[in-house]
Amino acid sequence: TINWSLASGEPAVAGLGLLCFATCLQQLDSKTHEAIIRQLPSSPGKLFYEYFGRVCRLVINNHGYSSTEPGVELILLAAKTYMNLGILKDVWILHHRAVTYAQLLGLHRPQRITPDETESHEESRHEAWFTICERDLYTSLQLGLPYAANWQTIKPSLRSEPGTLRYFQYQMIRLSARILDRNSMGLEASVP
């Protein structure tokens, strides 16, 4: 998968591969993977930050590349990486950027974007929007900052039936939004 993504002609897809590779390097254990580490040009930690920085600088910060569906996926993966590093403010910023690009791409629309959009692509799009809303609201709740995702646009079929995991996830999203709205003293969310 990494070879395929790095060979891709699309920068956001190549960025996904490079970010996955960088994360794998970061996870190398110095005792178990000693032979692999000796073959690297620098330490795994230094390579991780170098590759991660390049992806952010060259792909994520380029609006043309990051405003595509693979670009939004790349932004979410970078946000997850920042979350693992404990840099929550950058996570919040990246989630807001992902929300903006996702809305420009129409991922939030409940109906089909084009008449020739397949049912599987439509479902994938709605799943992606659900994930973006969930991550944005949880990060905003952790930091006490306003959310950007209009969670109310989640398609009713994704809300599921009581007793399911998806129903619980949706209820948690609603609860997070209510807490944030209450904490902002009744002020509107950033979306309107």
Side-chain angles (χ1 to χ4, degrees), residues 91-145:
V91 174
W92 185 80
I93 291 167
L94 285 177
H95 282 158
H96 274 64
R97 189 180 299 179
V99 167
T100 302
Y101 289 140
Q103 287 174 331
L104 285 173
L105 293 168
L107 298 183
H108 67 293
R109 297 195 184 280
Q111 68 278 6
R112 290 188 174 183
I113 297 176
T114 61
D116 57 335
E117 181 181 31
T118 64
E119 191 173 314
S120 64
H121 185 265
E122 182 182 14
E123 287 177 23
S124 174
R125 188 169 50 80
H126 292 149
E127 285 290 332
W129 180 246
F130 187 94
T131 301
I132 291 168
C133 289
E134 187 175 42
R135 289 183 183 184
D136 176 51
L137 279 161
Y138 291 159
T139 306
S140 297
L141 185 61
Q142 286 177 328
L143 295 172
L145 296 172

Side-chain angles (χ1 to χ4, degrees), residues 5-24:
S5 64
L6 292 176
S8 170
E10 193 169 346
V13 174
L16 279 167
L18 192 58
L19 208 51
C20 288
F21 181 70
T23 303
C24 290

Side-chain angles (χ1 to χ4, degrees), residues 47-67:
L47 287 173
F48 166 78
Y49 284 108
E50 181 182 332
Y51 294 157
F52 187 74
R54 285 184 186 175
V55 168
C56 288
R57 199 172 51 256
L58 299 174
V59 184
I60 292 176
N61 290 337
N62 183 309
H63 301 295
Y65 299 146
S66 57
S67 63

Side-chain angles (χ1 to χ4, degrees), residues 165-179:
L165 176 61
R166 179 50 58 98
Y167 180 78
F168 176 74
Q169 288 174 305
Y170 179 72
Q171 294 302 321
M172 293 305 294
I173 288 173
R174 287 184 57 210
L175 179 62
S176 299
R178 286 181 178 166
I179 291 170

